[in-house]
Each structure stands twice: as structure tokens, then as C-alpha cells.
């Protein structure tokens, strides 16, 4: 009797483990399963709730697609270089000494540069006199 219960329990454990493994494999996106190929989404802009414009790179060509719930339309073709991001274009490095000392919309007082000076400025402006 004990041996039968042990066999059934072990069989159920194996079946549940296989189901879990299969679910994990099927849950992966298609791009992760396909290691080869040269398809990439370069840009995506949502226009309305149901419509978007997407730029897709296929091999060395960039296609501009109109995407809705019911169809995908080819809007045109563009240069791939216009959509590829370069690291140096995304970040602008500024030296704090080059920044202005006053905010353009401010009241003429210097803008604080540290947390301590920010807290002092807030205390100044909110204290009762």
C-alpha cells in the first residue's frame, strides 16, 4: 500500500515538473527562442489607443509600419542610420560650473547647488516672520 502511494506521488511530481518546464519554455518571447535572424524594432510611437507607427529593421533596411489592431501597413522605407541610437547622442555631460547660478523663472536669488543649501532655501521661504 505504501509502495503504491509512493509510486503515484512520484509520478504526479514528475508530471507536474514537466508541465512547469513546458510552461517556462512557452512563456519566453519569440525573439529569445530565435537566436539567428536580423529583425529588430528600432522605434515605436503610439498614436492612439489602437494605432501606432513602428520602425522595424530587417537585415540592412528600415521599414516604417502603421500598426492597428486589425492590420499592419507599410508606410515607407527609411535609412537605418537615422534610427540607430548612438551612446554619445543620448547623454549630455555638463560641468556644474557652466550652469547658470539663477533659474530663468526665479525671483533673482541664486539657485541652490547642494541638498544642504536646498534645505536652507526651503527653510528661508517657509519660515514665519
Amino acid at each position: 500500500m505504501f509502495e503504491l502511494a509512493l509510486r503515484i506521488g512520484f509520478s504526479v511530481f514528475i508530471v507536474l515538473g514537466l508541465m512547469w518546464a513546458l510552461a517556462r519554455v512557452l512563456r519566453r518571447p519569440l525573439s529569445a527562442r530565435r537566436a539567428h535572424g536580423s529583425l529588430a524594432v528600432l522605434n515605436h510611437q503610439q498614436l492612439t489607443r489602437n494605432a501606432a507607427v513602428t520602425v522595424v529593421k530587417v537585415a540592412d533596411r528600415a521599414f516604417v509600419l502603421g500598426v492597428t489592431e486589425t492590420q499592419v501597413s507599410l508606410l515607407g522605407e527609411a535609412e537605418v542610420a537615422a534610427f540607430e541610437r548612438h551612446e554619445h547622442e543620448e547623454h549630455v555631460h555638463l560641468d556644474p560650473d557652466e550652469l547658470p547660478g539663477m533659474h530663468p523663472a526665479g525671483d533673482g536669488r541664486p539657485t541652490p547647488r547642494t541638498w544642504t543649501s536646498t534645505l536652507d532655501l526651503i527653510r528661508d521661504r517657509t519660515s514665519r516672520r
Side-chain angles (χ1 to χ4, degrees), residues 23-128:
R24 297 264 311 183
V25 168
L26 292 177
R27 204 176 313 161
R28 289 185 196 154
L30 291 175
S31 61
R33 278 188 260 168
R34 182 179 45 201
H36 63 284
S38 54
L39 178 73
V41 176
L42 299 178
N43 204 346
H44 177 82
Q45 178 64 48
Q46 196 73 29
L47 299 176
T48 64
R49 189 173 68 123
N50 300 328
V53 174
T54 303
V55 180
V56 178
K57 177 183 173 186
V58 180
D60 58 346
R61 299 170 70 184
F63 296 104
V64 181
L65 305 174
V67 181
T68 65
E69 288 182 347
T70 57
Q71 68 181 13
V72 176
S73 303
L74 177 64
L75 301 177
E77 196 170 332
E79 293 292 324
V80 175
F83 294 97
E84 289 180 335
R85 295 182 180 159
H86 300 286
E87 186 177 330
H88 65 279
E89 292 176 358
E90 289 185 24
H91 302 288
V92 176
H93 298 288
L94 296 175
D95 185 19
D97 296 330
E98 295 175 4
L99 297 174
M102 294 185 199
H103 191 277
D107 55 1
R109 290 189 268 188
T111 305
R113 294 185 186 260
T114 64
W115 284 105
T116 307
S117 60
T118 303
L119 288 174
D120 290 339
L121 180 70
I122 291 171
R123 283 188 197 115
D124 257 356
R125 291 188 180 180
T126 58
S127 63
R128 295 181 184 171

